[in-house]
């Protein structure tokens, strides 16, 4: 039987063989990507000083024995006692040490290389004029609304143009006024001849009830600080125009706000 805490140590690492000729496996910490020899004692020693791991355990698993050991130096059975250390000081986030949300385990088995991290690049901005909401009425999952797009404009890294009138936004409003949006519309570019790009934007607008009440009132929505609620979108685009085929395989995340009868959002391409 292993020592107490061994399962926590093993869950924090993925094993791989750096070279095909290597006889021994290496282990990579999934919280900071540091590589150690596959040795439980050395891996435990690393976790005791890994701020990413300790922060994650402090938030998600406060009963973790390694966290307890790092905090007060009290050993669990059959574990060696490390030096006393100040956990709060150790958990301070420095400017060059990213702190990641923690999770345990490896769904894909051992791997030889770390998975690349995606980044976001601000790609375009769009502003749309909206018709008043049409209430469809209560449904199984919440209240249904329908809202049409009057017009709009957009500009970004790959071009600029207008929003073709006639787009629509299907809304599902929960009891707490959190709103799921599912918008379909078409962009027209300023090229000659123009290209047409079909767009789907789906996501949630959530926040305190009193804030969400103001957002649906066009007379009061201008008063609302966009940082007081969250309006995030997943955006997908499709076109058959050869000049813009690269958009078909792109992924975008949007951050939006309401201003009167307008919806404005920045779209960030996932790189």
């Amino acid at each position: 039987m292993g020592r107490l805490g061994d399962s926590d140590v093993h869950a924090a690492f993925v094993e791989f063989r750096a070279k095909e000729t290597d006889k021994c496996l290496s282990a990579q910490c999934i919280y900071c990507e540091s590589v150690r020899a596959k040795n439980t004692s050395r891996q435990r020693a690393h976790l005791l000083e890994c701020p990413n791991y300790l922060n994650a355990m402090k938030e998600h698993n406060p009963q973790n024995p390694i966290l307890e050991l790092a905090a007060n130096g009290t050993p669990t059975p059959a574990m060696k006692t490390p030096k006393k250390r100040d956990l709060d000081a150790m958990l301070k986030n420095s400017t060059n040490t990213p702190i990641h949300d923690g999770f345990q385990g490896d769904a894909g088995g051992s791997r030889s290389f770390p998975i690349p991290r995606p980044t976001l690049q601000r790609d375009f901005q769009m502003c749309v004029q909206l018709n008043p909401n049409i209430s469809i009425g209560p449904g199984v999952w919440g209240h249904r609304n329908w809202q049409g797009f009057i017009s709009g404009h957009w500009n970004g890294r790959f071009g600029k143009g207008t929003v073709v009138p006639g787009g629509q936004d299907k809304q599902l409003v929960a009891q707490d006024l959190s709103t799921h949006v599912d918008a379909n519309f078409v962009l027209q570019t300023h090229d000659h001849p123009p290209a047409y790009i079909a767009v789907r934007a789906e996501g949630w607008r959530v926040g305190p009830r009193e804030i969400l009440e103001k957002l649906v009132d066009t007379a009061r929505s201008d008063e609302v600080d966009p940082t007081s609620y969250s309006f995030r979108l997943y955006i997908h685009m499709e076109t058959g125009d050869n000049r813009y085929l690269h958009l078909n395989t792109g992924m975008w995340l949007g951050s939006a706000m309401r201003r009167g009868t307008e919806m404005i959002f920045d779209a960030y391409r996932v790189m």
Side-chain angles (χ1 to χ4, degrees):
M1 295 180 61
R3 296 182 297 177
L4 292 178
D6 282 3
S7 60
D8 298 279
V9 173
H10 298 155
F13 286 83
V14 291
E15 298 174 5
F16 66 97
R17 199 176 301 277
K19 298 179 182 178
E20 292 185 2
T21 56
D22 287 352
K23 294 182 179 180
C24 300
L25 292 174
S26 298
Q28 183 180 54
C29 175
I30 64 175
Y31 296 86
C32 70
E33 299 186 356
S34 295
V35 176
R36 295 289 184 273
K38 183 181 178 295
N39 178 287
T40 302
S41 296
R42 293 183 182 180
Q43 291 168 228
R44 179 185 289 105
H46 166 76
L47 294 178
L48 287 168
E49 298 180 349
C50 177
N52 294 359
Y53 177 80
L54 296 174
N55 266 307
M57 294 302 104
K58 188 176 183 180
E59 180 177 357
H60 300 292
N61 186 14
Q63 303 304 316
N64 177 278
I66 296 175
L67 178 66
E68 178 185 354
L69 192 60
N72 55 35
T74 301
T76 54
M79 296 180 79
K80 296 181 179 180
T81 305
K83 295 180 180 180
K84 182 76 173 179
R85 53 175 59 83
D86 183 354
L87 180 63
D88 291 332
M90 187 162 53
L91 294 181
K92 285 183 179 179
N93 183 16
S94 62
T95 56
N96 60 356
T97 304
I99 301 299
H100 308 290
D101 289 337
F103 62 92
Q104 297 191 34
D106 173 33
S110 62
R111 63 178 188 267
S112 298
F113 302 100
I115 298 175
R117 295 177 186 168
T119 58
L120 298 178
Q121 182 182 67
R122 188 169 180 262
D123 205 32
F124 69 94
Q125 185 178 80
M126 193 179 81
C127 178
V128 181
Q129 285 282 344
L130 302 169
N131 277 315
N133 267 339
I134 298 174
S135 176
I136 305 301
V140 176
W141 309 113
H143 192 94
R144 296 282 184 181
N145 290 330
W146 190 281
Q147 193 164 37
F149 288 15
I150 300 173
S151 63
H153 60 271
W154 62 275
N155 64 83
R157 292 177 177 271
F158 59 89
K160 60 182 180 179
T162 58
V163 180
V164 176
Q168 73 240 343
D169 177 18
K170 296 182 294 182
Q171 301 176 356
L172 175 64
V173 184
Q175 289 186 349
D176 63 357
L177 299 186
S178 296
T179 302
H180 179 265
V181 299
D182 186 359
N184 289 273
F185 51 94
V186 175
L187 304 181
Q188 177 179 322
T189 70
H190 277 176
D191 300 306
H192 299 285
Y196 294 93
I197 304 165
V199 182
R200 182 177 181 183
E202 184 178 4
W204 282 91
R205 185 171 66 233
V206 298
R209 186 180 185 90
E210 61 273 15
I211 296 296
L212 299 179
E213 288 175 345
K214 291 182 179 180
L215 289 178
V216 298
D217 183 349
T218 56
R220 296 194 296 163
S221 60
D222 280 347
E223 308 170 3
V224 180
D225 182 349
T227 63
S228 64
Y229 62 97
S230 173
F231 192 176
R232 303 292 184 263
L233 303 165
Y234 166 71
I235 301 162
H236 169 75
M237 293 194 278
E238 182 178 357
T239 183
D241 193 295
N242 288 332
R243 294 168 293 181
Y244 294 93
L245 291 180
H246 62 280
L247 299 178
N248 292 334
T249 56
M251 297 174 60
W252 290 263
L253 296 177
S255 181
M257 62 174 288
R258 285 295 302 269
R259 187 177 66 187
T261 60
E262 293 180 321
M263 179 181 71
I264 305 169
F265 69 79
D266 284 334
Y268 296 82
R269 186 160 189 158
V270 181
M271 307 300 292

